[in-house]
Amino acid sequence: MKKYLCIFLCLLFSIINVQAVDFQGKAYIVMDSYNQTVLEGKNQDYVQSVASISKIMTAIVAIENGNLDDEYEIGEEVNQAWGSGVYIHIGDHINLRDLLHGLLLRSGNDAANVIAKNIGGDITTFVKMMNEKAQALKMTHTHFSNPTGLDEEDAGNQSTVYDMALLMSYCSQNSIFNDIVMKESYKREDGGGTWQNKNRLLKEYEYCVGGKTGFTKKAKRTLVTRAIKNDVSLVIVTFNCGNDFEFHQKKYEECFEKYQKILVLPKGIYQYHGHSFLIDKDLYYCGQDQTKATLQQDDDILSVYDSKDKIYQVQKENGIQTIFRYWLILLGEFVNG
């Protein structure tokens, strides 16, 4: 009898372990940040105010257009911010590095306005830069109206969990951005104290490597996080999820158990319809089963697909250029071990 009871309990626990994590909220998405493929989600194209996760875009535009050591004098722009702040004052001097940490760790609306004014020349121009970047990243359901995420005076910054996952996946390729968002705390270079990161998941979940929190009365809770385990890098975005930190952690564990990093196509020179194409890196996708890559040529562009998603595209080159570039890649790998 005990033997059958043990077998029954083992089967029961195995069923529980593979049960999907329940989602109570408006929208969510799980995206493979390596090639921006969607693993699962709900209401992925639902558009709403996204609150302070907007500051991910504020940060990457500043990082790509500014210098971390540049020091700014705080002006009247801080008086246009309310709510969450890092309490900088008119006449203070602070560099971009400190401001970015205040922006991403403490969600400082005052820091956002100072960054926007100094990077863009004025806040309006900076917001235009944010929208141009969104278009370049193909965030087709996104529009920014400010660098903070505040939405009391208008509809705020509008986006979807899909678009915000695209943005976070893009930002995860930037070493400066990653260095900031993975910090649990930061000591200001201007001697103004230490900031603690509002992203609790950094402390509560060992595989979390960054993210951004958000909340307004209109948007409710919004949260973007990223985690890496066994070379699988995932981004999760949630809208209006009351237990968002708990959901993110449980969903990561479910997905890391379910999916693995699978090689689709090794790097090398490929001949396709008489033309040479250099795939300059090993191509992977996040999935459950092995799949074969398929190739599709459109004029001078070769696209690589896994079972359903485009994961890479490359421009046609002449044969000598292709061989030379591939030789440099192999030489670099040899030198770097």
Side-chain angles (χ1 to χ4, degrees):
M1 182 67 180
K2 289 183 178 180
K3 177 181 178 182
Y4 292 116
L5 179 60
C6 289
I7 293 173
F8 172 76
L9 289 175
C10 288
L11 289 172
L12 178 62
F13 286 136
S14 67
I15 292 171
I16 291 173
N17 285 337
V18 298
Q19 188 175 27
V21 178
D22 186 39
F23 176 69
Q24 299 294 328
K26 187 61 182 181
Y28 87 93
I29 195 169
V30 182
M31 179 177 284
D32 169 15
S33 73
Y34 180 80
N35 53 30
Q36 295 80 56
T37 55
V38 178
L39 302 183
E40 59 179 83
K42 171 186 176 182
N43 295 332
Q44 299 170 28
D45 295 324
Y46 170 74
V47 178
Q48 70 158 66
S49 171
V50 295
S52 285
I53 61 175
S54 308
K55 294 184 174 82
I56 296 173
M57 179 62 87
T58 306
I60 197 64
V61 171
I63 290 168
E64 293 182 346
N65 293 277
N67 186 313
L68 297 182
D69 294 317
D70 284 351
E71 189 173 273
Y72 306 140
E73 181 176 349
I74 309 305
E76 292 289 341
E77 65 274 4
V78 293
N79 290 334
Q80 302 174 35
W82 58 91
S84 178
V86 293
Y87 308 110
I88 48 182
H89 307 93
I90 294 176
D92 288 350
H93 289 81
I94 186 169
N95 65 30
L96 179 59
R97 184 179 291 102
D98 276 357
L99 286 168
L100 285 168
H101 283 84
L103 178 81
L104 291 171
L105 273 63
R106 298 304 302 166
S107 202
N109 295 325
D110 45 6
N113 277 357
V114 173
I115 289 170
K117 185 254 183 180
N118 285 278
I119 295 293
D122 56 68
I123 293 176
T124 300
T125 300
F126 185 85
V127 172
K128 181 180 178 182
M129 295 166 68
M130 294 172 69
N131 285 310
E132 288 172 349
K133 189 68 181 179
Q135 291 178 3
L137 295 179
K138 298 183 179 178
M139 299 170 63
T140 56
H141 293 93
T142 297
H143 179 76
F144 294 100
S145 60
N146 61 65
T148 63
L150 291 170
D151 56 14
E152 282 86 349
E153 295 183 343
D154 55 26
N157 297 325
Q158 299 283 304
S159 191
T160 65
V161 291
Y162 176 81
D163 281 5
M164 294 307 297
L166 278 182
L167 175 60
M168 187 63 176
S169 296
Y170 172 78
C171 292
S172 70
Q173 302 171 39
N174 186 287
S175 59
I176 295 173
F177 179 88
N178 287 337
D179 179 66
I180 296 173
V181 296
M182 69 173 51
K183 288 189 174 87
E184 292 185 17
S185 64
Y186 173 75
K187 186 176 182 180
R188 291 169 60 171
E189 291 186 352
D190 67 355
T194 300
W195 287 321
Q196 303 298 318
N197 199 324
K198 289 186 175 183
N199 178 15
R200 285 175 20 213
L201 212 62
L202 287 170
K203 292 183 178 180
E204 297 175 359
Y205 186 54
E206 62 179 312
Y207 301 109
C208 181
V209 294
K212 181 71 189 73
T213 61
F215 175 80
T216 64
K217 291 181 180 179
K218 185 178 294 185
K220 309 302 181 189
R221 294 178 68 90
T222 59
L223 181 63
V224 178
T225 63
R226 178 171 169 251
I228 303 174
K229 185 178 181 181
N230 297 328
D231 290 329
V232 175
S233 174
L234 303 180
V235 168
I236 295 180
V237 184
T238 49
F239 289 173
N240 194 10
C241 178
N243 64 333
D244 47 12
F245 286 113
E246 178 184 1
F247 173 79
H248 280 229
Q249 181 171 342
K250 289 182 176 179
K251 180 56 72 174
Y252 277 126
E253 281 302 292
E254 177 193 333
C255 289
F256 286 139
E257 183 71 24
K258 185 187 301 183
Y259 301 106
Q260 58 184 311
K261 184 178 178 181
I262 299 172
L263 179 65
V264 176
L265 196 69
K267 65 177 174 291
I269 299 173
Y270 290 84
Q271 297 292 325
Y272 192 76
H273 290 178
H275 301 291
S276 297
F277 295 91
L278 172 61
I279 307 296
D280 60 4
K281 60 183 179 181
D282 292 336
L283 301 184
Y284 295 87
Y285 88 109
C286 187
Q288 296 174 278
D289 302 305
Q290 294 286 346
T291 186
K292 293 181 66 175
T294 57
L295 306 178
Q296 180 176 318
Q297 185 177 347
D298 184 12
D299 294 329
D300 291 340
I301 301 293
L302 180 70
S303 298
V304 182
Y305 293 81
D306 65 9
S307 57
K308 61 183 185 303
D309 299 303
K310 182 192 295 185
I311 60 173
Y312 190 83
Q313 67 178 32
V314 61
Q315 182 83 27
K316 181 183 70 176
E317 301 174 320
N318 66 57
I320 296 177
Q321 184 180 7
T322 301
I323 295 171
F324 179 71
R325 284 216 302 129
Y326 189 48
W327 180 84
L328 288 178
I329 291 171
L330 296 178
L331 179 62
E333 291 179 350
F334 175 78
V335 172
N336 294 320

